[in-house]
Amino acid sequence: MLEFLDSYAWIFWLGLILLFIVIEMLTLEFTFLMIAIGSLGGLIAGALGVPWYYQIVIAAVLSLLLLLTLRPPLLRRLKRGGDPAKSNVDALLGLEGLVLDQVTSTAGHVKLANGDTWTARVSPAADIRDLPRGERVLVTAIDGATAIVVPAGRTEPKEPIA
Protein backbone atom coordinates (compact mmCIF):
# COMPACT_ATOMS: atom_id res chain seq x y z
CA MET A 1 0.00 0.00 0.00
CA LEU A 2 2.83 2.42 0.83
CA GLU A 3 4.51 1.65 -2.49
CA PHE A 4 1.25 2.53 -4.24
CA LEU A 5 1.13 5.89 -2.41
CA ASP A 6 4.74 6.63 -3.32
CA SER A 7 4.18 5.69 -6.97
CA TYR A 8 0.89 7.50 -7.58
CA ALA A 9 0.97 10.47 -5.17
CA TRP A 10 1.40 12.81 -8.13
CA ILE A 11 -2.08 11.89 -9.41
CA PHE A 12 -3.51 12.73 -5.98
CA TRP A 13 -1.73 16.11 -5.99
CA LEU A 14 -2.89 16.96 -9.51
CA GLY A 15 -6.48 16.10 -8.58
CA LEU A 16 -6.30 18.29 -5.48
CA ILE A 17 -4.77 21.18 -7.40
CA LEU A 18 -7.52 21.04 -10.02
CA LEU A 19 -10.23 20.76 -7.36
CA PHE A 20 -8.88 23.73 -5.41
CA ILE A 21 -8.59 25.87 -8.54
CA VAL A 22 -12.19 25.12 -9.50
CA ILE A 23 -13.38 25.99 -5.99
CA GLU A 24 -11.30 29.20 -6.09
CA MET A 25 -12.94 30.23 -9.35
CA LEU A 26 -16.32 29.87 -7.65
CA THR A 27 -15.42 31.68 -4.40
CA LEU A 28 -12.82 34.27 -5.54
CA GLU A 29 -11.36 34.85 -2.09
CA PHE A 30 -7.79 33.55 -2.59
CA THR A 31 -8.10 30.87 0.12
CA PHE A 32 -8.28 27.89 -2.20
CA LEU A 33 -5.70 29.43 -4.52
CA MET A 34 -3.20 29.42 -1.65
CA ILE A 35 -4.10 25.80 -0.84
CA ALA A 36 -3.68 24.89 -4.54
CA ILE A 37 -0.22 26.46 -4.54
CA GLY A 38 0.59 24.52 -1.37
CA SER A 39 -0.55 21.35 -3.13
CA LEU A 40 1.75 22.26 -6.01
CA GLY A 41 4.56 22.33 -3.44
CA GLY A 42 3.55 18.80 -2.41
CA LEU A 43 3.57 17.72 -6.06
CA ILE A 44 7.04 19.18 -6.61
CA ALA A 45 8.30 17.52 -3.43
CA GLY A 46 6.95 14.20 -4.71
CA ALA A 47 8.69 14.70 -8.05
CA LEU A 48 11.95 15.22 -6.16
CA GLY A 49 11.52 11.86 -4.41
CA VAL A 50 10.31 13.03 -0.98
CA PRO A 51 8.16 10.39 0.82
CA TRP A 52 4.37 10.94 0.70
CA TYR A 53 4.01 11.78 4.41
CA TYR A 54 6.57 14.60 4.08
CA GLN A 55 4.78 15.79 0.94
CA ILE A 56 1.64 16.33 3.01
CA VAL A 57 3.58 18.28 5.64
CA ILE A 58 5.25 20.42 2.96
CA ALA A 59 1.90 21.15 1.29
CA ALA A 60 0.24 22.02 4.61
CA VAL A 61 3.06 24.30 5.78
CA LEU A 62 3.32 26.05 2.40
CA SER A 63 -0.48 26.55 2.26
CA LEU A 64 -0.59 27.96 5.78
CA LEU A 65 2.37 30.23 5.10
CA LEU A 66 0.73 31.59 1.94
CA LEU A 67 -2.63 32.05 3.68
CA LEU A 68 -1.05 34.08 6.45
CA THR A 69 1.45 36.13 4.44
CA LEU A 70 0.34 36.51 0.82
CA ARG A 71 -3.47 36.43 1.00
CA PRO A 72 -4.05 39.55 3.20
CA PRO A 73 -2.06 41.94 0.96
CA LEU A 74 -3.72 40.50 -2.14
CA LEU A 75 -7.18 41.11 -0.64
CA ARG A 76 -6.24 44.68 0.34
CA ARG A 77 -4.93 45.38 -3.15
CA LEU A 78 -8.04 43.89 -4.73
CA LYS A 79 -10.40 46.04 -2.64
CA ARG A 80 -8.36 49.23 -2.98
CA GLY A 81 -9.99 50.30 -6.24
CA GLY A 82 -13.57 49.82 -5.06
CA ASP A 83 -16.59 50.90 -7.02
CA PRO A 84 -16.78 54.71 -6.99
CA ALA A 85 -20.44 54.74 -8.01
CA LYS A 86 -22.79 55.72 -5.20
CA SER A 87 -25.75 53.47 -4.55
CA ASN A 88 -28.83 53.22 -2.35
CA VAL A 89 -29.25 56.15 0.04
CA ASP A 90 -25.83 57.60 -0.82
CA ALA A 91 -26.97 58.07 -4.42
CA LEU A 92 -29.99 60.11 -3.30
CA LEU A 93 -28.17 62.56 -1.04
CA GLY A 94 -27.60 65.85 -2.85
CA LEU A 95 -30.02 64.92 -5.64
CA GLU A 96 -32.29 67.69 -6.90
CA GLY A 97 -36.02 67.33 -7.26
CA LEU A 98 -39.28 69.12 -8.00
CA VAL A 99 -42.17 69.49 -5.56
CA LEU A 100 -45.30 67.67 -6.82
CA ASP A 101 -47.53 68.27 -3.76
CA GLN A 102 -46.85 71.03 -1.26
CA VAL A 103 -44.09 69.87 1.08
CA THR A 104 -44.43 70.79 4.75
CA SER A 105 -42.62 69.68 7.88
CA THR A 106 -44.95 66.66 8.02
CA ALA A 107 -45.87 65.63 4.45
CA GLY A 108 -45.54 66.18 0.71
CA HIS A 109 -44.29 64.59 -2.50
CA VAL A 110 -41.29 65.31 -4.70
CA LYS A 111 -40.07 63.92 -8.00
CA LEU A 112 -36.30 63.47 -7.90
CA ALA A 113 -33.90 63.97 -10.80
CA ASN A 114 -33.53 60.19 -11.16
CA GLY A 115 -37.28 59.92 -11.93
CA ASP A 116 -38.39 58.50 -8.57
CA THR A 117 -41.32 60.01 -6.68
CA TRP A 118 -40.79 60.18 -2.93
CA THR A 119 -42.76 61.31 0.07
CA ALA A 120 -40.93 64.28 1.52
CA ARG A 121 -40.62 66.60 4.51
CA VAL A 122 -38.93 69.94 4.85
CA SER A 123 -35.73 69.69 6.84
CA PRO A 124 -35.90 71.15 10.35
CA ALA A 125 -32.71 73.08 9.49
CA ALA A 126 -34.44 74.94 6.62
CA ASP A 127 -35.68 78.51 7.13
CA ILE A 128 -38.79 77.87 5.02
CA ARG A 129 -41.45 75.52 6.44
CA ASP A 130 -43.67 75.12 3.35
CA LEU A 131 -42.50 74.50 -0.20
CA PRO A 132 -45.12 75.14 -2.92
CA ARG A 133 -45.73 72.95 -5.95
CA GLY A 134 -43.09 73.46 -8.65
CA GLU A 135 -40.34 74.51 -6.20
CA ARG A 136 -36.90 73.01 -6.78
CA VAL A 137 -35.52 71.10 -3.79
CA LEU A 138 -32.35 69.33 -2.71
CA VAL A 139 -32.33 66.04 -0.77
CA THR A 140 -30.30 66.36 2.45
CA ALA A 141 -31.24 63.10 4.18
CA ILE A 142 -33.41 60.00 3.92
CA ASP A 143 -35.58 58.94 6.86
CA GLY A 144 -37.03 55.51 6.08
CA ALA A 145 -39.05 56.05 2.89
CA THR A 146 -39.16 59.83 3.23
CA ALA A 147 -36.79 62.31 1.65
CA ILE A 148 -35.79 65.24 3.85
CA VAL A 149 -35.44 68.26 1.57
CA VAL A 150 -34.45 71.93 1.55
CA PRO A 151 -35.10 74.52 -1.16
CA ALA A 152 -32.49 74.37 -3.89
CA GLY A 153 -30.38 77.52 -4.23
CA ARG A 154 -30.62 79.60 -7.37
CA THR A 155 -27.90 78.83 -9.86
CA GLU A 156 -28.62 81.68 -12.31
CA PRO A 157 -28.24 85.34 -11.32
CA LYS A 158 -31.44 87.29 -10.56
CA GLU A 159 -30.43 90.15 -12.88
CA PRO A 160 -28.42 89.84 -16.07
CA ILE A 161 -24.88 91.11 -15.79
CA ALA A 162 -24.10 93.82 -18.34
Side-chain angles (χ1 to χ4, degrees), residues 4-25:
F4 177 79
L5 285 175
D6 280 336
S7 299
Y8 295 103
W10 65 274
I11 295 173
F12 172 75
W13 289 118
L14 282 178
L16 278 180
I17 291 168
L18 291 175
L19 176 69
F20 291 144
I21 288 175
V22 168
I23 294 172
E24 178 61 35
M25 288 192 300

Side-chain angles (χ1 to χ4, degrees), residues 5-6 9-10 12-13 38-39 41-61:
L5 285 175
D6 280 336
W10 65 274
F12 172 75
W13 289 118
S39 298
L43 176 66
I44 292 171
L48 295 175
V50 176
W52 65 269
Y53 43 87
Y54 286 130
Q55 293 174 30
I56 294 172
V57 172
I58 291 169
V61 169

Side-chain angles (χ1 to χ4, degrees), residues 92 95-101 108-120 139 142 145-147:
L92 298 174
L95 202 59
E96 287 193 10
L98 189 66
V99 175
L100 296 177
D101 296 330
H109 289 92
V110 295
K111 183 166 187 157
L112 301 179
N114 65 1
D116 292 343
T117 301
W118 279 71
T119 57
V139 177
I142 299 294
T146 303

Side-chain angles (χ1 to χ4, degrees), residues 29-52:
E29 62 179 26
F30 293 130
T31 302
F32 287 96
L33 179 63
M34 300 302 133
I35 297 172
I37 294 171
S39 298
L40 181 64
L43 176 66
I44 292 171
L48 295 175
V50 176
W52 65 269

Side-chain angles (χ1 to χ4, degrees), residues 98-110 118-122 128-135 137 149:
L98 189 66
V99 175
L100 296 177
D101 296 330
Q102 181 176 356
V103 178
T104 65
S105 59
T106 58
H109 289 92
V110 295
W118 279 71
T119 57
R121 291 192 318 250
V122 176
I128 300 172
R129 292 291 165 224
D130 294 331
L131 299 171
R133 182 181 178 139
E135 179 85 19
V137 294
V149 297

